Amino acid sequence: KQTGKYIFYFQYFKLIVKAILILNSVKPDIIMANSYQPYILFYIARFFSIAKPKIVSEEQNNPRTMFERLKLRKYIVKKFDKLADLIIVPSKGIQDSLVETFAMERDKVVIIPNPVITDNFYNMSVEEVEPWIKNRDFKLVITVGTLNYQKNPVLLLKAFAIVRKKIKSKCIFIGDGPLLKELKLFVKKMNIEDEVFFLGFKKNPIKYIKNSDVFVLPSSYEAFGNVIVEAMACGCPVISTDCDYGPGEIISDKINGVLVEVNNEIQLAQSIEDVLANNELRYNLIKEGYKRAMDFKAEKIAKIYKEVILSVS
């Protein structure tokens, strides 16, 4: 264990030396670091290099929730992120958290939403799915995400157990994770094995969303919620928990999507039933959701990045 620690330190030292050589050779104006490891690496390298580029870091995680578990990560953000020339975050909630929890200067924390809709997005959406999904006589509820406590898949299972008693429907989960075994036991206990399917990780989840009747994000917390935008762009109505942070900044409740309380399976079940049964509501959510998704096209977000980068240089 001690030897492994020294090897790690040696490898990191080598990376710092390489980073110093790169900075001295290229002499960049700006370094964009999209996670804390390269940020720390290049911050140290900049200190020892001839070149002194400005550093722009990104914080893509929910600080308040994540840092309760990751004390070292919290320390790094508190001590080092303040030293960045600019910090990019995907949502106002994260901006507020960094300012209020870590005393960051608000002017240094810039909100740039994630670029979700790329040129290849619609090609992915029209790919074929399994026949039982495309040719069916039941409503299909879908969620996509890691099967962990953050994504809160149990909430959707509880809500779906209510919905399937009133509406002929099935529910599919796209994604793997540590809760898979527990969720399968829960499904068996609830006696809904014939209506719930765990399809595992899929390289292209977009085509499954496209062929579903409603997308549900039951998360306990988020940083943004890319999959909400993907579902909107697919023409699939969206229901999400109004968790910290992201969903409430993307969705206008009952206009382009539906927001429900975190851990409220009764409200979630009722919302799913409303979307599946009310054609007028469904049509409006699809129409307005698509409009909202266009705000997150890659080329549009790229222009914002360009403006921000030019303001730093």
Side-chain angles (χ1 to χ4, degrees):
K1 186 176 181 181
Q2 193 75 1
T3 302
K5 182 172 71 172
Y6 288 130
I7 291 173
F8 172 79
Y9 288 149
F10 179 68
Q11 293 293 340
Y12 207 77
F13 174 77
K14 288 203 303 182
L15 288 174
I16 292 172
V17 172
K18 286 184 179 180
I20 293 170
L21 294 174
I22 291 171
L23 293 182
N24 288 340
S25 173
V26 178
K27 295 182 175 61
D29 297 305
I30 297 174
I31 296 171
M32 295 283 293
N34 63 359
S35 70
Y36 75 94
Q37 288 115 330
Y39 170 67
I40 297 299
L41 174 70
F42 275 97
Y43 182 82
I44 296 171
R46 183 179 70 168
F47 183 81
F48 292 102
S49 72
I50 298 171
K52 301 298 180 185
K54 294 185 177 180
I55 299 182
V56 177
S57 71
E58 294 193 54
E59 187 55 69
Q60 293 289 328
N61 292 297
N62 186 319
R64 286 176 178 159
T65 307
M66 185 182 69
F67 298 159
E68 289 175 2
R69 298 177 289 109
L70 303 176
K71 302 300 182 183
L72 176 61
R73 183 77 175 89
K74 178 178 180 179
Y75 177 83
I76 290 171
V77 170
K78 189 174 182 179
K79 295 296 183 181
F80 282 89
D81 266 12
K82 288 183 179 180
L83 304 175
D85 294 284
L86 202 71
I87 305 166
I88 295 173
V89 297
S91 64
K92 187 177 184 302
I94 294 182
Q95 181 195 52
D96 291 341
S97 184
L98 290 176
V99 172
E100 295 164 10
T101 308
F102 300 100
M104 304 286 185
E105 298 174 34
R106 190 172 290 274
D107 290 345
K108 281 179 60 174
V109 185
V110 178
I111 303 167
I112 303 181
N114 291 337
V116 180
I117 309 304
T118 63
D119 291 337
N120 192 44
F121 180 85
Y122 292 103
N123 290 333
M124 295 172 66
S125 70
V126 296
E127 288 183 7
E128 288 295 319
V129 295
E130 291 85 333
W132 72 268
I133 292 177
K134 191 166 186 177
N135 305 313
R136 52 188 166 81
D137 61 351
F138 53 85
K139 300 295 185 180
L140 190 59
V141 181
I142 187 172
T143 189
V144 176
T146 306
L147 301 177
N148 59 18
Y149 289 107
Q150 176 197 340
K151 299 299 181 181
N152 201 7
V154 172
L155 175 64
L156 177 53
L157 286 177
K158 289 179 179 178
F160 179 73
I162 299 170
V163 172
R164 44 92 63 177
K165 293 178 181 178
K166 300 178 182 179
I167 298 175
K168 187 178 181 181
S169 54
K170 296 186 186 297
C171 182
I172 60 176
F173 287 76
I174 304 287
D176 289 320
L179 293 183
L180 178 59
K181 186 176 180 180
E182 180 181 324
L183 294 171
K184 287 183 175 180
L185 289 173
F186 186 83
V187 165
K188 187 175 183 179
K189 181 180 177 181
M190 298 290 288
N191 197 28
I192 52 175
E193 291 174 283
D194 293 337
E195 288 88 22
V196 176
F197 301 89
F198 296 98
L199 302 187
F201 171 80
K202 295 293 182 182
K203 188 175 181 180
N204 177 13
I206 305 301
K207 62 182 181 180
Y208 292 95
I209 300 174
K210 174 74 173 178
N211 285 276
S212 299
D213 294 296
V214 61
F215 174 85
V216 178
L217 185 71
S219 297
S220 296
Y221 64 93
E222 285 288 340
F224 179 70
N226 288 4
V227 72
I228 292 175
V229 178
E230 291 171 340
M232 287 176 166
C234 281
C236 185
V238 175
I239 301 172
S240 173
T241 51
D242 191 12
C243 62
D244 297 337
Y245 304 103
E249 296 179 39
I250 301 170
I251 295 172
S252 297
D253 190 31
K254 304 296 193 303
I255 296 176
N256 53 31
V258 179
L259 293 170
V260 300
E261 294 177 2
V262 176
N263 287 325
N264 190 331
E265 67 263 28
I266 303 299
Q267 188 183 19
L268 177 55
Q270 185 60 60
S271 296
I272 294 173
E273 290 170 17
D274 290 345
V275 172
L276 293 179
N278 187 328
N279 288 331
E280 183 179 358
L281 172 63
R282 178 182 176 77
Y283 173 78
N284 288 332
L285 293 179
I286 291 172
K287 181 180 69 172
E288 295 301 324
Y290 181 82
K291 289 180 184 177
R292 180 63 172 135
M294 294 305 100
D295 292 332
F296 304 98
K297 293 182 71 173
E299 57 264 35
K300 186 171 184 175
I301 304 301
K303 289 179 181 178
I304 302 175
Y305 266 96
K306 180 181 178 180
E307 292 172 4
V308 170
I309 291 170
L310 290 176
S311 73
V312 177
S313 60

